[in-house]
């Protein structure tokens, strides 16, 4: 059986997007891993749009990492999904609500094709992230083979550990990311996305992100949001922040505790094709 797909990106964060409303696709870990490394497909995440399973949502949004694991959140992916829904005439709404396996995402499409995703309120409760071995509170000191780091640990439907560093070029992104995603890890039983943040001024941060199940990526929307939340909790950032990643810039808006975090950006289509998934 063959299915059609579209390859998209946002700041060189690459996605394969599949319409699971008008065609049938049953995710297969082995196939996803194979497709992720193909020269004509290569992606960080595969995004599957299905009919809604909830009265409160227009569509069900599923995210699969390059290693085939299914996760509950992908901010940049959500922005690309909104654009895909509009371009494929799957939705004519300017306001779209997606349900994922862990949360809901509100998407607002503007006339200039910029899209804003409401990723909800951050979760700091340890068992809901999940993480173990620390006292309550979002900021914790992590002792690792690569040094001591003060990490802000939270969830936005997927788990994040934000580390503030002085030098992004020398930060042990791959090494520490791998270490914190050892399976099973005593602190992060489901793995963790690790953000390395350098605060430039109250309205700008530079960021590198290690995504669980993928490795370092050129951009990560939920990681950008997690980093701004961490910087705000440290009283070092304004509520609107430009986040500069290797792939480009995103804008994040978080007013503070109890408020939803907003991510703004614009995806782009790269190619489309058809593939045998039998």
């Amino acid at each position: 059986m063959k299915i059609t797909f579209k390859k998209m990106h946002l700041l060189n964060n690459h996605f394969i997007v599949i319409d699971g409303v008008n065609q049938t696709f049953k995710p297969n870990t082995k196939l996803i891993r194979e497709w992720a490394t193909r020269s004509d497909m290569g992606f960080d995440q595969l995004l599957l749009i299905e009919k809604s399973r909830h009265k409160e949502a227009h569509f069900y949004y599923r995210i699969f990492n390059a290693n085939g694991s299914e996760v509950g959140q992908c901010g940049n992916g959500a922005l690309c999904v909104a654009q895909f829904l509009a371009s494929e005439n799957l939705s004519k709404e300017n306001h779209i609500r997606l349900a994922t396996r862990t949360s809901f995402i509100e998407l607002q499409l503007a006339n200039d094709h910029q899209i804003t995703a409401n990723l909800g309120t951050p979760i700091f409760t340890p068992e809901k992230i999940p993480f173990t071995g620390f006292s309550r509170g979002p900021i914790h000191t992590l002792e690792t083979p690569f040094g001591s780091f003060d990490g802000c640990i939270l969830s936005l439907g997927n788990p994040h550990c934000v580390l503030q560093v002085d030098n992004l070029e020398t930060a042990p992104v791959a090494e520490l990311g791998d270490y914190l995603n050892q399976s099973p890890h005593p602190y992060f039983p489901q793995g963790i996305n690790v953000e390395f943040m350098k605060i430039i001024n109250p309205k700008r941060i530079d960021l590198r992100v290690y995504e669980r199940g993928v490795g370092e990526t050129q951009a990560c929307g939920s990681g950008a949001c997690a980093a701004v939340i961490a910087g705000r909790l440290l009283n070092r950032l304004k509520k609107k922040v430009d986040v500069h990643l290797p792939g480009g810039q995103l804008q994040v808006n978080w007013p503070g505790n109890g408020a939803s975090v907003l991510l703004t950006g614009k995806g782009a289509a790269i190619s489309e094709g058809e593939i045998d998934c039998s």
Side-chain angles (χ1 to χ4, degrees):
M1 181 182 69
K2 291 187 176 181
I3 59 162
T4 59
F5 67 87
K6 180 171 284 189
K7 185 171 183 178
M8 304 184 71
H9 84 99
L10 197 158
L11 306 184
N12 287 316
N13 192 190
H14 289 96
F15 307 100
I16 290 295
V17 188
I18 295 176
D19 172 7
V21 175
N22 295 307
Q23 56 186 352
T24 301
F25 173 66
K26 295 183 178 180
N28 178 296
T29 298
K30 183 180 178 181
L31 275 181
I32 291 172
R33 286 177 174 171
E34 291 176 357
W35 292 350
T37 58
R38 282 178 52 148
S39 60
D40 60 335
M41 292 185 74
F43 54 84
D44 298 314
Q45 280 88 18
L46 182 146
L47 312 177
L48 176 61
I49 305 164
E50 296 180 340
K51 292 180 180 178
S52 179
R53 303 180 186 183
H54 303 271
K55 292 181 180 179
E56 301 88 353
H58 295 97
F59 299 94
Y60 190 62
Y61 166 46
R62 301 178 69 184
I63 306 112
F64 298 88
N65 285 333
N67 69 355
S69 60
E70 185 171 5
V71 295
Q73 180 65 284
C74 179
N76 280 359
L79 298 179
C80 285
V81 162
Q83 189 164 334
F84 179 89
L85 291 171
S87 66
E88 298 297 311
N89 293 315
L90 289 170
S91 174
K92 295 183 179 179
E93 303 288 335
N94 289 326
H95 181 266
I96 301 170
R97 186 171 169 86
L98 304 177
T100 77
R101 65 186 296 185
T102 60
S103 60
F104 291 91
I105 303 173
E106 305 278 351
L107 298 166
Q108 187 67 46
L109 287 70
N111 292 333
D112 62 357
H113 303 295
Q114 289 285 330
I115 300 165
T116 296
N118 181 333
L119 301 188
T121 58
I123 297 167
F124 301 107
T125 307
E127 56 269 23
K128 293 182 179 180
I129 294 175
F131 80 93
T132 60
F134 298 97
S135 60
R136 291 183 178 272
I139 310 296
H140 307 272
T141 299
L142 302 179
E143 299 294 343
T144 80
F146 310 98
S148 177
F149 299 89
D150 288 333
C152 180
I153 302 172
L154 67 138
S155 173
L156 286 169
N158 57 352
H160 294 272
C161 176
V162 183
L163 309 176
Q164 188 176 342
V165 298
D166 294 324
N167 191 324
L168 280 177
E169 291 185 3
T170 60
V173 177
E175 296 86 352
L176 187 54
D178 286 342
Y179 172 76
L180 294 178
N181 278 280
Q182 292 175 6
S183 183
H185 193 279
Y187 296 145
F188 306 113
Q190 295 181 15
I192 194 82
N193 298 288
V194 189
E195 286 76 35
F196 297 79
M197 171 180 65
K198 181 177 181 180
I199 297 177
I200 306 302
N201 60 52
K203 295 184 178 181
R204 172 181 169 170
I205 64 172
D206 290 353
L207 191 69
R208 292 175 66 183
V209 182
Y210 180 102
E211 293 194 57
R212 63 173 179 172
V214 183
E216 184 175 5
T217 56
Q218 292 294 297
C220 175
S222 62
C225 291
V228 171
I229 290 167
R232 292 277 286 154
L233 293 175
L234 293 169
N235 296 315
R236 296 199 58 192
L237 295 178
K238 300 292 187 181
K239 68 177 183 178
K240 291 184 179 180
V241 179
D242 291 332
V243 181
H244 291 253
L245 298 117
Q249 178 182 312
L250 292 167
Q251 186 179 79
V252 175
N253 183 341
W254 189 56
N257 284 325
S260 295
V261 60
L262 304 179
L263 172 72
T264 300
K266 181 170 67 174
I270 300 172
S271 62
E272 55 186 40
E274 187 179 69
I275 192 165
D276 192 339
C277 62
S278 57

